[in-house]
Amino acid sequence: MLTCEAVSAHTTVSTVALPAFHKRYGALGQSWMARGCRHFSAGIASRRSALGLNRDVYIYQNMAFGASDLLRGTTSDPSNYYIDQTAGYARGPNYDKMINAILRSPGGATGMEEVMVQYGLNGMLTFASTGDNTPAIRQTAQLTMQGYMRTDLGLASLRFWMVPLTSQQLGTFGEEKWWAMRKSQLDTVAADGSGLTQRAPDCYDLTRPWGDGGLGDGDDRHYAWENQAKHGARIATAIANVAEATSGYLGPRITAVARTAANTFTVTIDPLGGGGFVS
């Protein structure tokens, strides 16, 4: 015989404690990072385990927003940005939503140490067509936002990991916009002498998200989930190398570039941490 008992709403109480996560990572940016928040976790856990580290990492959700950008006015949605560079680098709508997402999550900002950052496609659209979207302005906006976060969350040593703009299918965007975006990201790392802004590993060797045989996430401009997991593993390795004194492999590196003609370059790639090949 099955017996059912009616209970009043909102009376269920759980006594199970929340997991004590060893590390807490946040993520800023647009849809690449929003999807990475979901798909990085498998790569992060497996890589930390391989490094002999505690694999319990909490990844904050709803800090990154699809089709967004760091700056105001660089996307089709007028409110989908983090920093208003036209108003003295004031906090924007996405900044407020991101802070609320952190504070409302289990445990709030307690224990948060690392933030992964990845912008790209949307902010490239207005390069060279407006005077307030330049590499220098993007650098200032990013460092200003990082300062806001450390103050608003009470985390003076919060560290940020800039993911450099990855490869794109030729013809998707003007090459000058691609380089301007990547320059702003690398300059942000170089400009912060505190060591609290670090360069995250590149992922240019992974199958390109757009145009390579439908291997993207849903056959669109995003990486397949397997490659997102690989990218997450690399970021976790870079963080561990700095925060936990490991020496994990970060993936292929371009070690030399030489111009051989007007539009031709020879690139030396170190694929496995020793001994390069030329492409």
Side-chain angles (χ1 to χ4, degrees):
M1 181 178 67
L2 177 65
T3 301
C4 297
E5 179 182 359
V7 296
S8 301
H10 310 299
T11 60
T12 302
V13 176
S14 174
T15 59
V16 177
L18 290 172
F21 289 97
H22 184 68
K23 296 289 182 181
R24 285 174 170 251
Y25 296 171
L28 298 175
Q30 27 73 302
S31 53
W32 284 358
M33 195 54 79
R35 296 182 186 211
C37 285
R38 301 190 296 270
H39 299 154
F40 283 169
S41 56
I44 289 173
S46 62
R47 183 60 57 85
R48 287 184 60 86
S49 179
L51 292 171
L53 303 173
N54 189 310
R55 58 184 288 161
D56 294 331
V57 176
Y58 180 87
I59 302 179
Y60 289 86
Q61 301 296 302
N62 302 318
M63 290 177 60
F65 308 93
S68 69
D69 189 43
L70 171 64
L71 300 180
R72 178 178 181 175
T74 56
T75 70
S76 58
D77 183 344
S79 64
N80 202 5
Y81 66 93
Y82 289 89
I83 294 294
D84 187 350
Q85 77 281 15
T86 70
Y89 297 96
R91 298 164 175 81
N94 284 358
Y95 179 89
D96 293 335
K97 289 190 289 186
M98 172 265 297
I99 292 294
N100 285 334
I102 295 171
L103 296 178
R104 292 176 180 176
S105 66
T110 302
M112 185 178 184
E113 299 175 347
E114 319 288 349
V115 179
M116 304 170 284
V117 184
Q118 186 175 18
Y119 306 109
L121 305 179
N122 302 293
M124 294 168 65
L125 295 175
T126 58
F127 268 122
S129 64
T130 176
D132 60 0
N133 183 16
T134 68
I137 288 174
R138 298 189 71 88
Q139 172 189 310
T140 299
Q142 180 64 33
L143 292 175
T144 299
M145 179 172 65
Q146 293 176 189
Y148 288 156
M149 290 183 67
R150 294 186 184 108
T151 298
D152 295 343
L153 298 173
L155 300 172
S157 299
L158 188 61
R159 189 163 33 222
F160 293 80
W161 295 83
M162 299 296 297
V163 178
L165 185 63
T166 186
S167 57
Q168 295 295 309
Q169 183 180 12
L170 294 177
T172 304
F173 293 99
E175 187 172 349
E176 75 285 354
K177 298 178 182 179
W178 190 96
W179 281 110
M181 176 65 75
R182 188 172 170 93
K183 175 175 172 56
S184 75
Q185 296 164 335
L186 299 180
D187 285 351
T188 298
V189 176
D192 187 354
S194 70
L196 293 177
T197 304
Q198 296 274 340
R199 176 176 175 172
D202 275 289
C203 51
Y204 48 73
D205 60 302
L206 302 179
T207 304
R208 291 181 307 177
W210 205 346
D212 282 346
L215 295 178
D217 184 355
D219 195 16
D220 59 14
R221 68 192 66 184
H222 303 94
Y223 283 117
W225 72 266
E226 297 96 333
N227 285 339
Q228 291 177 34
K230 290 179 182 178
H231 194 197
R234 291 180 186 178
I235 296 174
T237 306
I239 292 173
N241 285 353
V242 170
E244 300 178 75
T246 58
S247 55
Y249 168 65
L250 299 178
R253 296 186 306 116
I254 293 177
T255 58
V257 178
R259 183 191 294 269
T260 57
N263 295 308
T264 304
F265 298 84
T266 298
V267 179
T268 301
I269 299 174
D270 178 355
L272 296 172
F277 66 89
V278 177
S279 177

